[in-house]
Amino acid sequence: MKNNDFTAAVQVDQAPEKVFNAINNVRGWWSENIEGKTDELNGEFTHRDRYLNVTFKITQLTPQKIVWDIVESHCNMFLENIHEWEGTRIVFEITRKAGKTEIKFTHQGLSPEFECYKVCSKAWSFFITTSLKDLIETGKGDPISNEYASFTTAVMVDKSPEEVFAAVKNVRGWWLNNIEGSTDKLNDEFKFYVDKRLQFHFKIIELVPYKRIVWIVLDQSFGNTEEQEWKGTTVLFEISATGGQTRLRFTHQGLVPSLECYEVCHYAWTQYIQVSLFDFIKKGEGQPNKW
């Protein structure tokens, strides 16, 4: 049976040890937008950019083979299946051949049937055969820069994941108290108007009890700009229990520093999450419509 996994390979003059170290320096060749350690067995790290949120677990780490299992992913470019990468695996095989070191890269599970295959295979080809190769040979790769990093912030609260989940769904309690529509069920849509002019139109595209909520921006307009900078972006709330507390990670995926509204939106979201939603979870009283 034909193997449909995506593969790419490159050879370099450098020793296997240098290649191994370069692969583990993920920020140097793939993405500067990495949270967590990328060189520890059983460690996890997360990449977040304008389009893709993905968390890897390092399940094998030897001089000959590195394996990352993809435990969570969300891509807002391909909404037919925003979790296509979940359950797939990244494999690097390092071998010495005829005086050179070969790197064979495989994204196991990334098959031509995937909606993202064309874009993802082209991207992986560049990062392996150009960016990683350059990092090994010259010390400088071409990773995804911080300019493409989506806005994210997080809070820790002394409440259960169930309580945090319920609070996030009650959008009127912490963000906007004069919205139209329901905010607590899958496929719900809600809108916010100012002087009869639409400001935001969201749809809830994912609702995993006590773990994750995802909204997509269907439409948007701001009075100070004609650009629909939020349209097509997604808003993620990720909830996890950690050491007796609950961690809420907020990401506006697609809200990046190059956007005109970034500074104002960065400030507003920070206040709504760090202050209003935090207080709403802790005390039952937020500050909606304040910032």
Side-chain angles (χ1 to χ4, degrees):
M1 188 172 76
K2 185 178 179 181
N3 187 342
N4 285 327
D5 296 336
F6 172 76
T7 63
V10 65
Q11 290 189 340
V12 294
D13 292 327
Q14 284 71 22
E17 182 180 3
K18 186 170 184 179
V19 170
F20 176 79
N21 291 334
I23 293 171
N24 289 327
N25 179 12
V26 183
R27 294 175 180 85
W29 63 268
W30 185 44
S31 171
E32 295 177 348
N33 311 311
I34 296 285
E35 301 167 11
K37 292 187 176 182
T38 62
D39 59 356
E40 290 185 357
L41 184 62
N42 296 319
E44 294 190 4
F45 63 95
T46 300
H47 158 82
R48 303 172 189 271
D49 70 12
R50 183 167 188 165
Y51 303 109
L52 179 66
N53 252 38
V54 57
T55 297
F56 302 92
K57 182 174 182 178
I58 303 171
T59 55
Q60 187 168 341
L61 191 65
T62 69
Q64 296 80 34
K65 193 172 185 179
I66 300 168
V67 179
W68 307 339
D69 285 356
I70 297 171
V71 294
E72 285 188 2
S73 78
H74 174 281
C75 181
N76 67 4
M77 283 183 68
F78 306 103
L79 294 174
E80 185 177 311
N81 182 357
I82 60 177
H83 304 298
E84 277 192 323
W85 279 25
E86 285 187 13
T88 65
R89 173 178 287 178
I90 304 294
V91 179
F92 301 87
E93 295 171 282
I94 304 167
T95 55
R96 194 70 175 163
K97 290 185 176 181
K100 292 182 176 288
T101 302
E102 181 180 84
I103 308 160
K104 182 182 177 183
F105 169 91
T106 304
H107 188 158
Q108 293 180 355
L110 180 63
S111 68
E113 291 74 28
F114 274 29
E115 187 181 5
C116 80
Y117 183 82
K118 186 175 181 179
V119 171
C120 294
S121 59
K122 184 177 180 180
W124 278 135
S125 291
F126 167 78
F127 286 117
I128 300 304
T129 64
T130 301
S131 185
L132 177 56
K133 185 173 186 287
D134 286 349
L135 179 65
I136 295 166
E137 294 181 335
T138 70
K140 184 172 176 58
D142 189 11
I144 300 167
S145 75
N146 286 324
E147 282 301 300
Y148 293 93
S150 293
F151 171 73
T152 185
T153 188
V155 293
M156 296 284 289
V157 290
D158 294 320
K159 297 289 184 178
S160 69
E162 291 84 353
E163 291 170 299
V164 173
F165 183 74
V168 172
K169 291 193 299 177
N170 186 355
V171 181
R172 292 174 177 85
W174 62 269
W175 188 33
L176 304 169
N177 60 18
N178 56 339
I179 58 176
E180 296 180 4
S182 176
T183 66
D184 61 355
K185 295 185 294 296
L186 185 64
N187 297 319
D188 275 352
E189 296 184 21
F190 57 97
K191 301 177 182 179
F192 173 65
Y193 293 87
V194 174
D195 297 328
K196 298 183 179 180
R197 181 174 179 177
L198 176 72
Q199 297 293 297
F200 312 109
H201 179 185
F202 291 95
K203 181 177 181 178
I204 301 172
I205 61 172
E206 189 173 0
L207 200 66
V208 181
Y210 323 133
K211 290 184 178 180
R212 185 163 57 202
I213 298 170
V214 183
W215 309 337
I216 186 171
V217 184
L218 297 176
D219 201 2
Q220 165 264 318
S221 65
F222 292 137
N224 62 338
T225 177
E226 295 301 317
E227 296 293 328
Q228 291 183 300
E229 292 185 325
W230 282 27
K231 189 173 181 178
T233 64
T234 51
V235 175
L236 290 78
F237 302 85
E238 298 166 287
I239 301 165
S240 58
T242 306
Q245 293 185 303
T246 298
R247 185 173 188 259
L248 172 65
R249 160 76 71 174
F250 170 91
T251 302
H252 188 158
Q253 195 171 352
L255 181 63
V256 296
S258 59
L259 298 185
E260 183 180 347
C261 81
Y262 183 79
E263 186 175 343
V264 171
C265 296
H266 180 292
Y267 173 78
W269 275 135
T270 300
Q271 300 305 309
Y272 279 119
I273 302 303
Q274 294 281 348
V275 181
S276 184
L277 180 52
F278 180 83
D279 285 349
F280 187 56
I281 296 167
K282 288 274 290 185
K283 308 172 187 176
E285 184 174 351
Q287 297 103 55
N289 293 63
K290 184 174 181 180
W291 290 279

